[in-house]
Amino acid sequence: MRKFKLVLVTMIMSVMVAGCGKDEAESGSKNETTAAATEAAVDESTEAGSDETAVETSDEYFYTLDGTKVLLNSKMEDVVAAIGEPDKYFESESCAFQGLDKVYTYGSVVITTYPDNEVDYVYTIDLKDDTVETDEGLYIGASKEDVEAAYGTPGDKTDIAYIYTKGDTKLTVIFEDDSVVGITYSYVTE
């Protein structure tokens, strides 16, 4: 039964994140603006002597992987250049975008991308087990109290999830019996 619930939760998260039927013309200018800001942040951090791919932004969620801050909606090629090739890679036809959705697995961290004008952007970042944690120390197995201590009161919640929003990004924490079973960062494309 527990595996069934976990599969169900994963399916619900996929539907929440995918949002089929996105308007490409609308997303193009937004991606160009965000991509330009990300590139400027990368250039700024490089000029300052940092080896990180981007600087922290207080109005959006990000995940630090192997010492590199991975911003949602940043170019995946920049992430791979900074972190290296993934342990596993998978691609499939996208239902929400034109082109391929790509999945990069780095240990217990899974990054999915979405295509836009032949460029792949970071769409979601999933933490899969208790060997990894958020920058605030949240991990699979933590309690609801731990989540609230790290992130405060959620802006939105359901019976099984707390959803925190910053700018065009979301952090979704999924629970089973008041214990964290899923942590997903996602970029809001609509």
Side-chain angles (χ1 to χ4, degrees):
M1 182 69 172
R2 184 170 188 191
K3 285 185 182 181
F4 173 75
K5 286 182 182 179
L6 192 55
V7 169
L8 181 62
V9 167
T10 303
M11 288 173 37
I12 290 170
M13 285 299 300
S14 296
V15 170
M16 286 173 39
V17 173
C20 291
K22 171 178 158 275
D23 181 9
E24 287 180 49
E26 180 182 313
S27 71
S29 63
K30 188 174 192 177
N31 285 341
E32 290 168 13
T33 302
T34 305
T38 300
E39 288 176 25
V42 170
D43 292 342
E44 186 177 301
S45 69
T46 302
E47 287 173 14
S50 170
D51 63 348
E52 298 174 318
T53 60
V55 295
E56 177 180 348
T57 58
S58 61
D59 63 339
E60 294 196 344
Y61 287 107
F62 64 89
Y63 180 73
T64 303
L65 179 60
D66 293 338
T68 299
K69 290 180 182 167
V70 180
L71 298 174
L72 294 157
N73 200 41
S74 61
K75 291 180 181 178
M76 189 62 194
E77 68 183 278
D78 295 341
V79 174
V80 172
I83 298 171
E85 292 299 319
D87 301 327
K88 294 179 187 173
Y89 172 80
F90 174 79
E91 61 185 43
S92 65
E93 197 65 38
S94 179
C95 79
F97 308 96
Q98 278 193 336
L100 298 174
D101 291 331
K102 298 177 181 175
V103 180
Y104 298 77
T105 302
Y106 291 92
S108 297
V109 178
V110 177
I111 300 173
T112 61
T113 65
Y114 70 94
D116 189 25
N117 295 325
E118 298 185 23
V119 176
D120 296 313
Y121 294 92
V122 176
Y123 190 40
T124 65
I125 303 169
D126 290 304
L127 307 187
K128 295 299 187 182
D129 61 37
D130 64 355
T131 63
V132 292
E133 62 184 38
T134 68
D135 287 11
E136 295 77 17
L138 185 62
Y139 57 93
I140 304 293
S143 68
K144 280 188 177 180
E145 291 79 23
D146 294 333
V147 176
E148 291 173 3
Y151 295 99
T153 303
D156 193 15
K157 64 181 176 178
T158 68
D159 290 340
I160 62 166
Y162 281 0
I163 304 163
Y164 297 90
T165 303
K166 279 188 178 182
D168 290 331
T169 62
K170 288 187 179 184
L171 174 65
T172 304
V173 182
I174 300 181
F175 300 96
E176 183 179 303
D177 300 326
D178 292 335
S179 181
V180 175
V181 294
I183 301 171
T184 300
Y185 296 85
S186 57
Y187 177 68
V188 180
T189 58
E190 295 180 0

